């Protein structure tokens, strides 16, 4: 069964809520007109159409137009080996739609990334917090009105300054050297403030 044939099942169930499919380079995309129905549509796609793998959830910023946000879901079915892309629009004023974590657990981190980078909320998500930026960061870096040079903000003390185990450790290549033994020694002495730490790495 092809992705186009599968889409007809979706249209038969949800009618005009699902747009006519668009095909580009053998990829099929449909649009859901009501973002509030996204979880229902996704559950049907998984249980009735065999799309058992959520590949990704991502978003677009249609800056300057309304609705501003487009949220995109990429499905795959291991049984029929078909891909499907489902899009739905969300207004900037609302900036929220239901979570699909109750359909695919994999949606958890995907939705968190969309929230972190774009500021779109997923209602009902079990742990909707930032996943890339730190808590308290006041901006959403993938929005089109966010400057490429970034914005100044206060960075909390979240970073550590001690040398990480892999820095200068085994299997770390150093430049130069006449052969792989010199370039890739199995142990390096590291610069360390703590004599015990330095002695440990000199032994490895």
């Amino acid at each position: 069964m092809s992705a186009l044939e599968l889409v007809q099942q979706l249209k038969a169930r949800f009618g005009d809520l699902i747009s006519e499919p668009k095909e580009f380079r053998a990829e099929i995309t449909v649009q859901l007109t009501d973002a509030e129905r996204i979880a229902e549509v996704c559950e049907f796609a998984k249980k009735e159409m065999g799309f058992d793998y959520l590949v990704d959830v991502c978003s677009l910023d249609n800056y300057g137009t309304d609705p501003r946000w487009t949220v995109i879901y990429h499905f795959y079915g291991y049984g029929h080996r078909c891909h499907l892309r489902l899009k739905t629009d969300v207004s900037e004023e609302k900036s929220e739609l239901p979570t699909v974590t109750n359909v695919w657990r994999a949606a958890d981190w995907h939705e968190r990334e969309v929230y972190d980078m774009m500021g779109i909320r997923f209602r009902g998500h079990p742990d909707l917090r930032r996943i890339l930026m730190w808590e308290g960061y006041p901006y959403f870096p993938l929005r089109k009105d966010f400057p490429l040079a970034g914005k100044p903000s206060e960075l909390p003390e979240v970073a550590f300054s001690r040398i990480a185990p892999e820095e200068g450790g085994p299997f770390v290549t150093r430049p130069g050297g006449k052969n792989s033994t010199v370039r890739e020694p199995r142990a390096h002495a590291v610069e360390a403030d703590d004599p015990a730490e330095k002695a440990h790495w000199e032994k490895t």
Side-chain angles (χ1 to χ4, degrees), residues 30-185:
V30 292
Q31 181 94 16
L32 171 64
T33 60
D34 183 0
E36 286 298 314
R37 304 283 297 274
I38 187 63
E40 181 184 352
V41 171
C42 286
E43 185 172 15
F44 182 85
K46 180 182 181 181
K47 293 183 177 179
E48 304 298 330
M49 299 169 60
F51 287 105
D52 46 9
Y53 176 39
L54 177 65
V55 180
D56 191 21
V57 180
C58 57
S59 59
L60 294 174
D61 181 357
N62 307 303
Y63 184 64
T65 63
D66 187 52
R68 180 170 178 176
W69 316 120
T70 301
V71 183
I72 306 106
Y73 300 78
H74 300 265
F75 309 148
Y76 179 74
Y78 282 106
H80 47 60
R81 299 183 180 180
C82 291
H83 290 267
L84 180 63
R85 182 183 294 110
L86 175 66
K87 296 182 177 183
T88 192
D89 292 330
V90 181
S91 69
E92 182 176 10
E93 180 181 10
K94 190 169 187 179
S95 293
E96 182 180 274
L97 71 166
T99 183
V100 297
T101 52
N102 57 333
V103 182
W104 295 282
R105 290 182 64 186
D108 189 329
W109 283 16
H110 294 312
E111 291 180 352
R112 283 179 61 188
E113 183 176 359
V114 172
Y115 165 69
D116 193 3
M117 295 289 101
M118 205 74 83
I120 302 168
R121 299 179 301 275
F122 293 87
R123 188 172 61 255
H125 189 286
D127 187 24
L128 191 61
R129 56 192 169 92
R130 291 189 179 269
I131 194 170
L132 298 174
M133 309 305 290
W134 60 91
E135 287 298 326
Y137 184 70
Y139 309 116
F140 302 104
L142 283 188
R143 290 185 175 186
K144 287 186 177 177
D145 53 357
F146 186 85
L148 293 178
K151 293 183 178 181
S153 61
E154 292 187 8
L155 177 66
E157 295 179 359
V158 295
F160 58 88
S161 57
R162 298 180 65 187
I163 296 174
E166 285 300 314
E167 185 175 345
F171 312 112
V172 177
T173 302
R174 60 170 53 149
K178 61 182 179 181
N179 54 42
S180 61
T181 303
V182 175
R183 290 192 304 272
E184 302 176 8

Side-chain angles (χ1 to χ4, degrees), residues 3-4 7 21-24 26-30 83-86:
L4 278 172
V7 166
K22 294 182 179 180
E23 183 174 0
F24 179 71
E27 295 183 352
I28 305 300
T29 302
V30 292
H83 290 267
L84 180 63
R85 182 183 294 110
L86 175 66

